[in-house]
Amino acid sequence: MKEVTIDVLKDASRRLLFEMSEQELSTLLEEFHILARQMEALGKEEGLDQYEPMTFPFPCETSYLRKDEPAPTMERDDALRNAGSVLDGQVKLPRVVQ
């Protein structure tokens, strides 16, 4: 793993368009060192490779979701009836990216 230094953090913040003060960078560097020590301690634990990594710490039940059953579709004219602006049979939206 690449060593985390003030210069690495400055480069990362610049690339992410964050402005960070020297005090913030120093605090962040200290936090990275704490995190690295914690990860190193976890890596020393015996038998961790026997467990599957978790993406969420609690079981997720999805039985409450409804069944996806086909239903008749709405006619296009009915769907566009309340649209503020329509162009060529589609809802016309304002331009977002220029």
Side-chain angles (χ1 to χ4, degrees), residues 11-65:
D11 181 54
S13 67
R14 183 185 53 78
R15 289 173 186 243
L16 294 170
L17 304 177
F18 285 124
E19 291 184 23
M20 295 183 74
S21 69
E22 291 297 322
Q23 177 63 36
E24 291 170 326
L25 288 166
S26 177
T27 301
L28 185 58
L29 181 62
E30 187 177 319
E31 293 292 326
F32 265 101
H33 288 304
I34 292 169
L35 182 61
R37 286 194 307 271
Q38 290 172 340
M39 289 171 41
E40 184 179 327
L42 283 173
K44 292 179 181 176
E45 289 295 318
E46 295 292 326
L48 283 181
D49 55 348
Q50 298 173 7
Y51 298 95
E52 185 177 333
M54 297 187 317
T55 56
F56 191 70
F58 308 107
C60 249
E61 300 272 338
T62 56
S63 60
Y64 59 87
L65 296 176

Side-chain angles (χ1 to χ4, degrees), residues 1-17:
M1 182 168 108
K2 184 176 185 178
E3 183 182 354
V4 179
T5 64
I6 288 285
D7 291 332
V8 170
L9 294 177
K10 283 181 181 179
D11 181 54
S13 67
R14 183 185 53 78
R15 289 173 186 243
L16 294 170
L17 304 177

